[in-house]
Amino acid sequence: MFCNPLNLDNPILVQVLGICSALAVTSQLKPAIVMGLAVTVITAFSNVIISILRNTIPNRIRIVVQLVVVAALVTIVSQILKAYVYDVSVELSVYVGLIITNCILMGRLEAFAMMNKPWPSFLDGVGNGLGYALILVVVGAVREFFGRGSLLGFQIIPDACYDWGYINNGMMTMPAMALILVGIVIWVHRAYFYKEK
């Protein structure tokens, strides 16, 4: 429930959900971390709210109720980001708002929160959010390190390396590289965990 999404049932690696935002916000590590944490918080608390309301929601409007709950939480998180990490909020721009339609959120609400009690739903939300965040952090770190020579804005590759001829890989800063890296991570994960017997 909590650990599976971090590994064997990762929403990006196994279910291939939420991949659009994973590609969009990983050019640097900081926005990847913030987006991962935002999705984790929203998934966890929307799961809890829907789990509490699950027996009172009429079946025909359940998707609308789920969207309203998620939209309210996204609005709150967006305002908090603007208040405390404005630079990252601007960098993430529309992608925070698009959390409303994130497949991971809607999938967990429909598949888990609508059928389980609040505490297991909370753990499921945290696990899936952290599984999503893990991939964002890995891809964001690799892209920033090789594309800019830094992590979280701090120069990691020493100036001496540049003096000796090292050049940052400009391809890493391009959006297509995010897709290639996510593909490599998916390939390595499946090769390691799903070996044929």
Side-chain angles (χ1 to χ4, degrees):
M1 180 170 37
F2 175 75
C3 294
N4 265 3
L6 295 172
N7 192 2
L8 293 174
D9 201 21
N10 187 285
I12 293 180
L13 300 181
V14 178
Q15 302 167 29
V16 195
L17 297 175
I19 203 162
C20 298
S21 56
L23 302 179
V25 300
T26 56
S27 63
Q28 293 181 10
L29 185 55
K30 191 174 180 182
I33 291 171
V34 172
M35 184 67 159
L37 290 176
V39 169
T40 301
V41 168
I42 293 167
T43 306
F45 287 104
S46 61
N47 266 10
V48 169
I49 293 167
I50 293 301
S51 177
I52 291 169
L53 299 174
R54 72 186 189 281
N55 294 326
T56 61
I57 302 171
N59 196 41
R60 67 184 180 279
I61 62 164
R62 73 185 190 287
I63 301 293
V64 174
V65 173
Q66 291 170 6
L67 282 172
V68 168
V69 168
V70 172
L73 289 170
V74 166
T75 303
I76 292 167
V77 167
S78 178
Q79 294 304 313
I80 291 170
L81 290 178
K82 285 178 184 169
Y84 293 103
V85 281
Y86 184 75
D87 57 328
V88 177
S89 171
V90 170
E91 200 171 332
L92 290 174
S93 66
V94 298
Y95 299 110
V96 173
L98 288 175
I99 293 173
I100 295 169
T101 57
N102 192 311
C103 316
I104 297 168
L105 271 133
M106 298 310 293
R108 295 326 297 162
L109 292 175
E110 193 65 16
F112 199 90
M114 287 296 288
M115 295 176 235
N116 292 283
K117 292 183 179 179
W119 180 245
S121 296
F122 177 77
L123 291 177
D124 180 75
V126 170
N128 276 280
L130 290 177
Y132 170 83
L134 176 68
I135 303 307
L136 262 64
V137 167
V138 168
V139 173
V142 169
R143 289 182 70 195
E144 183 176 355
F145 180 77
F146 289 107
R148 292 182 169 83
S150 62
L151 285 176
L152 294 172
F154 297 103
Q155 192 67 32
I156 301 296
I157 297 176
D159 288 332
C161 290
Y162 295 103
D163 294 340
W164 294 334
Y166 178 80
I167 300 171
N168 289 332
N169 186 343
M171 284 287 293
M172 285 291 180
T173 61
M174 301 177 77
M177 206 59 208
L179 181 62
I180 293 168
L181 286 174
V182 168
I184 290 170
V185 172
I186 290 172
W187 172 54
V188 168
H189 181 267
R190 291 188 179 181
Y192 183 77
F193 287 106
Y194 299 99
K195 291 178 181 172
E196 289 189 31
K197 297 175 182 175

